Amino acid sequence: MNNLKLGVEVISAHDLAPKDGQGSVNACVELHFDHQKFRTTIKEKDLNPVWNEQFYFNISDPSYLPNLYLEAYVYHINQASNSKSSLGKVRLSGSSFVPYPDAVALHYPLEKQHIFSRVKGELGFKVFLTDDPSVRPSNPLPAVDSFLSTPPPVRSHQTPDQFTGPNPNFFSENRAESVQTFHHLPREQHQQHSTAPVGDQPVRYAAEMKSEPPRIVRMFSSSSSQQPVDFQLKETSPFLGGGRVVGGRVIPGEKAGAYDLVEKMQYLFVRVVKARELPAKDLTGSLDPYVEVRLGNFKGTTRHFEKKANPEWNEVFAFSRERLQASFLEVVVKDKDLVKDDFVGIVRFDLNEVPTRVPPDSPLAPEWYRLEDKKGEKIKGELMLAIWYGTQADECFPYALHSDAILPPDSAASLSSHIRGKVYHAPRLWYVRVNIIEAQDIVVSDKSRIPDLFARARIGHQILRTKTIQSRTGNCQWNEEFMFVAAEPFEDHLILSVEDRVSASKEEVIGHVHVPLGSVDRRADDRAILPKWLNLKKPVAVDVDQLKEEKFSSKIQVRICLDGGYHVFDESTHYSSDLRPTAKQLWKPPIGLLELGILNADGLHPMKTREGRGTADTYCVAKYGQKWVRTRTIIDNLSPRFNEQYTWDVYDPATVLTVGVFDNCQLVERVSGSNGPKDMHVGKVRIRLSTLESGRVYTHTYPLIVLHSSGVKKMGELHLAIRFSSTSTFNLLYQYSRPLLPKMHYARPLLLMQQEMLRHQAVQIVAVRLGRMEPPLRREVVEYMTDAHSHLWSMRRSKGCGIIGSAHAILPT
């Protein structure tokens, strides 16, 4: 049963436009949501009415919530003529609704209901979600409006305190996310081609993968006519899933489904599910089984189980169809042994008899197969398998062990997780504003000297302190403000302490207090936060193993809040991929969709040596907004083919997509306790969305350029396909009329140095969180993608920045 409800607390309005001819207004608010309508009481003769009334709406379909809107209309009621006139409206998208603990009261400027309406003022209310079954929906308005006779709607008697408990995620995405592409293409040589949008074209696969020779497009200004060809952007016309791309237009081929921005790649999938009644091969009757899948020279193995005759693996292997080296597939069950693994049984398959599956077909049902011995005779034991031909659109593709990612012999089997592709979501970041005002009744241990008192604030590894003040009375006043960065879910507490600087090398803690960030007030605007007095506690050592806390009379006065009206930068300001504020209530609906197809890399510079030859184990990472994607690692290949497609919602065209190429250095046995070697960066590409034409497919090869000690060096080329699709031209144009950053950046701007320090802390927090996922997105990858060290300066960098700046694939206007 669906108990999800939308709660709306109508608080007040401010500075309404007079309507009654006497400089006043009789105001009420009508709320419309999901075919339900509620109305507040009428506040007579009041330009600043206060209601403080709560209403609860039923939500008929929670999965459709992001597509619904809450509309609040402010009316003036003329009781003499029983009529109403508009004072303005507020419209909120369902995607901005949050659970009660995250909800804050906001004042929204009133908008015109009609083009000739004259409105002014603000309407303040709080919107939240709750699934508490004890909450009853409010009574709806009658079908006929009668302002004089209709009583105000009955409000629920629940108080906000009843919803402070944890709430589940009310709107999980059930939509399948199609993988798609976005790319950079210059315009100066494209004008002879049609630029019609391709969003409505049918998507098809081409039968062949040949393409015409790439067209070179200069990505430099006309004044730099002597640039080398290797550093130029090259337009291509590849055959993709949707057809051949010519001048940004797709010529349809075969039907391709969702993967229309990458080349269609055929794979043989082998899913090893489980086994039963396996025969033992030693006198003890025990068995340590694992499965070995062999196809020509390729061999993949599952993990092994100790002393288990009915193991369950549920692992998938993918073999590239164009690189198949045999006509038979062998699936062998073996018994793990210290010296030599024992043969248990085998199942053979003729690849000409394997079926083909194309999504959205349901997954192929696995089947039990009887094991055979080496002579082909049936023996005891069965193995459950599923074998089929498919493409990268198959749902098993992301977590399958690929034949082009078979680990080298010197690698541990436990490192297989480091070669799989994944999608990561960075945590939501908050600015924590701490204003340390004063402390009272400070008692120091040495009363013969005047104490030098200061306060220290700490969140995790971020530590800031006030200036030192000498106090004879035990009271001191600082009134200093600090900013920190914190990430949801909040793991670190805010620790405030008052300390005495006894000497140049000694500081004595007088008292401290821990403040959980989850209990701190949140705000999305510049409203005032009331100060609070907190009791300081002083731990006193009783013995070596135990600390006893004593009651302590000292107090500290602080203002603490989570500022959700800012955007927390974790990227360079010029290359930011997201400019939304932290508070979800301030988010607007997306204006478009960005699709990226990572096709292949070519001519990569060798990053390591293996068996006496240069090679690389490469993977790509793309970042836009809070969503990071990582392709699978292709081992031992200087021209890897990825053909993976991803998609992002776009909220602002003045943003940049970043795609980086890295060499995986984790495929060797690690020393116990070490973090392993660092992954080496090959290069990266940046694409500014404001240069992309809506509906056009951009296919280019981008030079990967880095700055070495010997100068600027090209490390290879990255082939991408990109498409930006605008959902509404009006919303896109409206976005250009708005300020670039959220309102709080202008109401209470941060100093440039302070913002850079906070960005550094934000990058460190994101790196730690992404490094705790499996497989981890390593710190050096996050720092390189976000330009964490861009504030550092060197003479070598200043000389090379001109070429590198041009080589970043930003389309010319």
mmCIF file of all heavy atoms in Angstrom, residues 682-711:
data_model
loop_
_atom_site.group_PDB
_atom_site.id
_atom_site.type_symbol
_atom_site.label_atom_id
_atom_site.label_comp_id
_atom_site.label_asym_id
_atom_site.label_seq_id
_atom_site.Cartn_x
_atom_site.Cartn_y
_atom_site.Cartn_z
ATOM 1 N N VAL A 682 47.234 9.319 -19.082
ATOM 2 C CA VAL A 682 47.690 9.415 -20.467
ATOM 3 C C VAL A 682 47.335 10.778 -21.046
ATOM 4 O O VAL A 682 48.116 11.373 -21.783
ATOM 5 C CB VAL A 682 47.061 8.283 -21.309
ATOM 6 C CG1 VAL A 682 47.517 8.371 -22.762
ATOM 7 C CG2 VAL A 682 47.422 6.928 -20.725
ATOM 8 N N GLY A 683 46.174 11.281 -20.714
ATOM 9 C CA GLY A 683 45.733 12.592 -21.189
ATOM 10 C C GLY A 683 44.254 12.750 -20.947
ATOM 11 O O GLY A 683 43.563 11.814 -20.517
ATOM 12 N N LYS A 684 43.736 13.939 -21.234
ATOM 13 C CA LYS A 684 42.303 14.176 -21.045
ATOM 14 C C LYS A 684 41.801 15.174 -22.077
ATOM 15 O O LYS A 684 42.574 15.942 -22.678
ATOM 16 C CB LYS A 684 42.001 14.670 -19.630
ATOM 17 C CG LYS A 684 42.591 16.014 -19.263
ATOM 18 C CD LYS A 684 42.293 16.333 -17.800
ATOM 19 C CE LYS A 684 43.055 17.577 -17.358
ATOM 20 N NZ LYS A 684 42.931 17.814 -15.919
ATOM 21 N N VAL A 685 40.479 15.166 -22.253
ATOM 22 C CA VAL A 685 39.793 16.011 -23.218
ATOM 23 C C VAL A 685 38.659 16.715 -22.501
ATOM 24 O O VAL A 685 37.982 16.113 -21.654
ATOM 25 C CB VAL A 685 39.238 15.168 -24.391
ATOM 26 C CG1 VAL A 685 38.351 15.995 -25.286
ATOM 27 C CG2 VAL A 685 40.374 14.559 -25.192
ATOM 28 N N ARG A 686 38.457 17.988 -22.829
ATOM 29 C CA ARG A 686 37.333 18.740 -22.260
ATOM 30 C C ARG A 686 36.438 19.232 -23.389
ATOM 31 O O ARG A 686 36.924 19.701 -24.412
ATOM 32 C CB ARG A 686 37.832 19.928 -21.436
ATOM 33 C CG ARG A 686 38.456 19.526 -20.106
ATOM 34 C CD ARG A 686 38.557 20.752 -19.222
ATOM 35 N NE ARG A 686 39.047 20.421 -17.903
ATOM 36 C CZ ARG A 686 40.309 20.592 -17.515
ATOM 37 N NH1 ARG A 686 41.191 21.087 -18.351
ATOM 38 N NH2 ARG A 686 40.677 20.287 -16.295
ATOM 39 N N ILE A 687 35.138 19.141 -23.159
ATOM 40 C CA ILE A 687 34.151 19.536 -24.161
ATOM 41 C C ILE A 687 33.132 20.450 -23.497
ATOM 42 O O ILE A 687 32.466 20.057 -22.538
ATOM 43 C CB ILE A 687 33.457 18.306 -24.773
ATOM 44 C CG1 ILE A 687 34.507 17.417 -25.438
ATOM 45 C CG2 ILE A 687 32.390 18.722 -25.757
ATOM 46 C CD1 ILE A 687 34.067 16.018 -25.682
ATOM 47 N N ARG A 688 33.014 21.665 -24.027
ATOM 48 C CA ARG A 688 32.090 22.644 -23.458
ATOM 49 C C ARG A 688 30.724 22.494 -24.118
ATOM 50 O O ARG A 688 30.603 22.571 -25.351
ATOM 51 C CB ARG A 688 32.640 24.056 -23.651
ATOM 52 C CG ARG A 688 31.945 25.103 -22.792
ATOM 53 C CD ARG A 688 32.655 26.436 -22.888
ATOM 54 N NE ARG A 688 33.990 26.363 -22.332
ATOM 55 C CZ ARG A 688 34.286 26.466 -21.038
ATOM 56 N NH1 ARG A 688 33.304 26.605 -20.165
ATOM 57 N NH2 ARG A 688 35.535 26.405 -20.629
ATOM 58 N N LEU A 689 29.702 22.282 -23.316
ATOM 59 C CA LEU A 689 28.375 21.983 -23.860
ATOM 60 C C LEU A 689 27.776 23.154 -24.629
ATOM 61 O O LEU A 689 26.964 22.953 -25.523
ATOM 62 C CB LEU A 689 27.427 21.569 -22.728
ATOM 63 C CG LEU A 689 27.344 20.057 -22.447
ATOM 64 C CD1 LEU A 689 28.696 19.515 -22.005
ATOM 65 C CD2 LEU A 689 26.295 19.761 -21.414
ATOM 66 N N SER A 690 28.144 24.376 -24.283
ATOM 67 C CA SER A 690 27.570 25.536 -24.960
ATOM 68 C C SER A 690 27.995 25.618 -26.414
ATOM 69 O O SER A 690 27.411 26.382 -27.193
ATOM 70 C CB SER A 690 27.974 26.820 -24.227
ATOM 71 O OG SER A 690 29.389 26.936 -24.162
ATOM 72 N N THR A 691 29.018 24.835 -26.819
ATOM 73 C CA THR A 691 29.453 24.827 -28.216
ATOM 74 C C THR A 691 28.770 23.740 -29.029
ATOM 75 O O THR A 691 29.027 23.633 -30.226
ATOM 76 C CB THR A 691 30.974 24.612 -28.289
ATOM 77 O OG1 THR A 691 31.296 23.322 -27.753
ATOM 78 C CG2 THR A 691 31.718 25.665 -27.491
ATOM 79 N N LEU A 692 27.919 22.935 -28.398
ATOM 80 C CA LEU A 692 27.268 21.824 -29.090
ATOM 81 C C LEU A 692 25.901 22.238 -29.622
ATOM 82 O O LEU A 692 25.130 22.916 -28.941
ATOM 83 C CB LEU A 692 27.118 20.624 -28.156
ATOM 84 C CG LEU A 692 28.398 20.059 -27.540
ATOM 85 C CD1 LEU A 692 28.072 18.874 -26.656
ATOM 86 C CD2 LEU A 692 29.390 19.662 -28.613
ATOM 87 N N GLU A 693 25.619 21.826 -30.828
ATOM 88 C CA GLU A 693 24.329 22.086 -31.449
ATOM 89 C C GLU A 693 23.354 20.984 -31.058
ATOM 90 O O GLU A 693 23.690 19.796 -31.123
ATOM 91 C CB GLU A 693 24.526 22.105 -32.968
ATOM 92 C CG GLU A 693 23.432 22.809 -33.733
ATOM 93 C CD GLU A 693 23.799 22.899 -35.199
ATOM 94 O OE1 GLU A 693 24.862 23.478 -35.513
ATOM 95 O OE2 GLU A 693 23.041 22.355 -36.017
ATOM 96 N N SER A 694 22.164 21.350 -30.651
ATOM 97 C CA SER A 694 21.200 20.365 -30.157
ATOM 98 C C SER A 694 20.825 19.386 -31.261
ATOM 99 O O SER A 694 20.510 19.770 -32.395
ATOM 100 C CB SER A 694 19.951 21.077 -29.636
ATOM 101 O OG SER A 694 19.001 20.144 -29.182
ATOM 102 N N GLY A 695 20.868 18.086 -30.937
ATOM 103 C CA GLY A 695 20.468 17.045 -31.864
ATOM 104 C C GLY A 695 21.540 16.596 -32.821
ATOM 105 O O GLY A 695 21.347 15.632 -33.554
ATOM 106 N N ARG A 696 22.686 17.253 -32.834
ATOM 107 C CA ARG A 696 23.750 16.905 -33.776
ATOM 108 C C ARG A 696 24.705 15.898 -33.145
ATOM 109 O O ARG A 696 25.003 15.978 -31.961
ATOM 110 C CB ARG A 696 24.505 18.159 -34.188
ATOM 111 C CG ARG A 696 25.630 17.898 -35.180
ATOM 112 C CD ARG A 696 26.261 19.183 -35.628
ATOM 113 N NE ARG A 696 27.293 18.944 -36.614
ATOM 114 C CZ ARG A 696 27.539 19.715 -37.656
ATOM 115 N NH1 ARG A 696 26.782 20.776 -37.866
ATOM 116 N NH2 ARG A 696 28.519 19.437 -38.487
ATOM 117 N N VAL A 697 25.199 14.954 -33.935
ATOM 118 C CA VAL A 697 26.163 13.957 -33.469
ATOM 119 C C VAL A 697 27.555 14.419 -33.877
ATOM 120 O O VAL A 697 27.828 14.620 -35.070
ATOM 121 C CB VAL A 697 25.860 12.568 -34.057
ATOM 122 C CG1 VAL A 697 26.910 11.569 -33.603
ATOM 123 C CG2 VAL A 697 24.471 12.101 -33.639
ATOM 124 N N TYR A 698 28.422 14.598 -32.900
ATOM 125 C CA TYR A 698 29.795 15.034 -33.138
ATOM 126 C C TYR A 698 30.718 13.826 -32.986
ATOM 127 O O TYR A 698 30.763 13.201 -31.925
ATOM 128 C CB TYR A 698 30.197 16.122 -32.143
ATOM 129 C CG TYR A 698 29.438 17.414 -32.303
ATOM 130 C CD1 TYR A 698 28.215 17.617 -31.681
ATOM 131 C CD2 TYR A 698 29.941 18.437 -33.084
ATOM 132 C CE1 TYR A 698 27.512 18.796 -31.825
ATOM 133 C CE2 TYR A 698 29.261 19.639 -33.240
ATOM 134 C CZ TYR A 698 28.046 19.811 -32.610
ATOM 135 O OH TYR A 698 27.356 20.982 -32.766
ATOM 136 N N THR A 699 31.444 13.496 -34.046
ATOM 137 C CA THR A 699 32.405 12.394 -33.993
ATOM 138 C C THR A 699 33.770 12.928 -34.394
ATOM 139 O O THR A 699 33.959 13.375 -35.535
ATOM 140 C CB THR A 699 31.980 11.259 -34.948
ATOM 141 O OG1 THR A 699 31.789 11.792 -36.264
ATOM 142 C CG2 THR A 699 30.708 10.588 -34.467
ATOM 143 N N HIS A 700 34.708 12.903 -33.457
ATOM 144 C CA HIS A 700 36.055 13.422 -33.686
ATOM 145 C C HIS A 700 37.072 12.557 -32.962
ATOM 146 O O HIS A 700 36.750 11.859 -32.002
ATOM 147 C CB HIS A 700 36.194 14.860 -33.163
ATOM 148 C CG HIS A 700 35.507 15.885 -33.998
ATOM 149 N ND1 HIS A 700 34.149 16.060 -34.000
ATOM 150 C CD2 HIS A 700 36.008 16.801 -34.871
ATOM 151 C CE1 HIS A 700 33.825 17.036 -34.834
ATOM 152 N NE2 HIS A 700 34.944 17.507 -35.369
ATOM 153 N N THR A 701 38.308 12.653 -33.423
ATOM 154 C CA THR A 701 39.441 12.147 -32.642
ATOM 155 C C THR A 701 40.115 13.350 -32.002
ATOM 156 O O THR A 701 40.369 14.364 -32.661
ATOM 157 C CB THR A 701 40.441 11.388 -33.533
ATOM 158 O OG1 THR A 701 40.909 12.249 -34.573
ATOM 159 C CG2 THR A 701 39.805 10.151 -34.131
ATOM 160 N N TYR A 702 40.383 13.237 -30.716
ATOM 161 C CA TYR A 702 40.944 14.329 -29.924
ATOM 162 C C TYR A 702 42.374 13.992 -29.523
ATOM 163 O O TYR A 702 42.624 12.888 -29.021
ATOM 164 C CB TYR A 702 40.113 14.556 -28.661
ATOM 165 C CG TYR A 702 38.682 14.922 -28.932
ATOM 166 C CD1 TYR A 702 37.722 13.939 -29.180
ATOM 167 C CD2 TYR A 702 38.271 16.233 -28.957
ATOM 168 C CE1 TYR A 702 36.410 14.265 -29.442
ATOM 169 C CE2 TYR A 702 36.954 16.578 -29.204
ATOM 170 C CZ TYR A 702 36.029 15.597 -29.454
ATOM 171 O OH TYR A 702 34.719 15.927 -29.716
ATOM 172 N N PRO A 703 43.309 14.887 -29.730
ATOM 173 C CA PRO A 703 44.684 14.617 -29.303
ATOM 174 C C PRO A 703 44.798 14.632 -27.787
ATOM 175 O O PRO A 703 44.215 15.488 -27.111
ATOM 176 C CB PRO A 703 45.480 15.760 -29.943
ATOM 177 C CG PRO A 703 44.493 16.865 -30.098
ATOM 178 C CD PRO A 703 43.157 16.208 -30.361
ATOM 179 N N LEU A 704 45.509 13.658 -27.248
ATOM 180 C CA LEU A 704 45.768 13.590 -25.809
ATOM 181 C C LEU A 704 47.126 14.229 -25.562
ATOM 182 O O LEU A 704 48.161 13.656 -25.916
ATOM 183 C CB LEU A 704 45.746 12.141 -25.321
ATOM 184 C CG LEU A 704 44.417 11.398 -25.531
ATOM 185 C CD1 LEU A 704 44.577 9.914 -25.218
ATOM 186 C CD2 LEU A 704 43.317 12.013 -24.682
ATOM 187 N N ILE A 705 47.116 15.409 -24.984
ATOM 188 C CA ILE A 705 48.331 16.204 -24.850
ATOM 189 C C ILE A 705 48.624 16.422 -23.373
ATOM 190 O O ILE A 705 47.738 16.805 -22.599
ATOM 191 C CB ILE A 705 48.184 17.559 -25.572
ATOM 192 C CG1 ILE A 705 47.885 17.315 -27.057
ATOM 193 C CG2 ILE A 705 49.430 18.403 -25.422
ATOM 194 C CD1 ILE A 705 47.556 18.554 -27.826
ATOM 195 N N VAL A 706 49.854 16.173 -22.984
ATOM 196 C CA VAL A 706 50.293 16.395 -21.615
ATOM 197 C C VAL A 706 51.598 17.173 -21.635
ATOM 198 O O VAL A 706 52.289 17.253 -22.667
ATOM 199 C CB VAL A 706 50.480 15.061 -20.846
ATOM 200 C CG1 VAL A 706 49.178 14.332 -20.705
ATOM 201 C CG2 VAL A 706 51.501 14.187 -21.545
ATOM 202 N N LEU A 707 51.932 17.735 -20.496
ATOM 203 C CA LEU A 707 53.144 18.522 -20.347
ATOM 204 C C LEU A 707 54.183 17.706 -19.604
ATOM 205 O O LEU A 707 54.007 17.388 -18.432
ATOM 206 C CB LEU A 707 52.834 19.819 -19.588
ATOM 207 C CG LEU A 707 53.963 20.846 -19.530
ATOM 208 C CD1 LEU A 707 54.357 21.301 -20.922
ATOM 209 C CD2 LEU A 707 53.542 22.038 -18.688
ATOM 210 N N HIS A 708 55.243 17.323 -20.277
ATOM 211 C CA HIS A 708 56.344 16.579 -19.685
ATOM 212 C C HIS A 708 57.512 17.522 -19.414
ATOM 213 O O HIS A 708 57.510 18.697 -19.809
ATOM 214 C CB HIS A 708 56.793 15.442 -20.616
ATOM 215 C CG HIS A 708 55.854 14.281 -20.622
ATOM 216 N ND1 HIS A 708 55.845 13.332 -19.629
ATOM 217 C CD2 HIS A 708 54.881 13.920 -21.503
ATOM 218 C CE1 HIS A 708 54.915 12.422 -19.898
ATOM 219 N NE2 HIS A 708 54.317 12.763 -21.029
ATOM 220 N N SER A 709 58.522 16.990 -18.748
ATOM 221 C CA SER A 709 59.717 17.783 -18.476
ATOM 222 C C SER A 709 60.423 18.203 -19.758
ATOM 223 O O SER A 709 61.111 19.226 -19.796
ATOM 224 C CB SER A 709 60.680 16.979 -17.592
ATOM 225 O OG SER A 709 61.002 15.743 -18.210
ATOM 226 N N SER A 710 60.209 17.427 -20.830
ATOM 227 C CA SER A 710 60.829 17.765 -22.107
ATOM 228 C C SER A 710 59.966 18.690 -22.954
ATOM 229 O O SER A 710 60.375 19.092 -24.040
ATOM 230 C CB SER A 710 61.115 16.477 -22.891
ATOM 231 O OG SER A 710 59.916 15.741 -23.101
ATOM 232 N N GLY A 711 58.764 19.002 -22.464
ATOM 233 C CA GLY A 711 57.869 19.889 -23.192
ATOM 234 C C GLY A 711 56.521 19.257 -23.449
ATOM 235 O O GLY A 711 56.168 18.223 -22.870
#
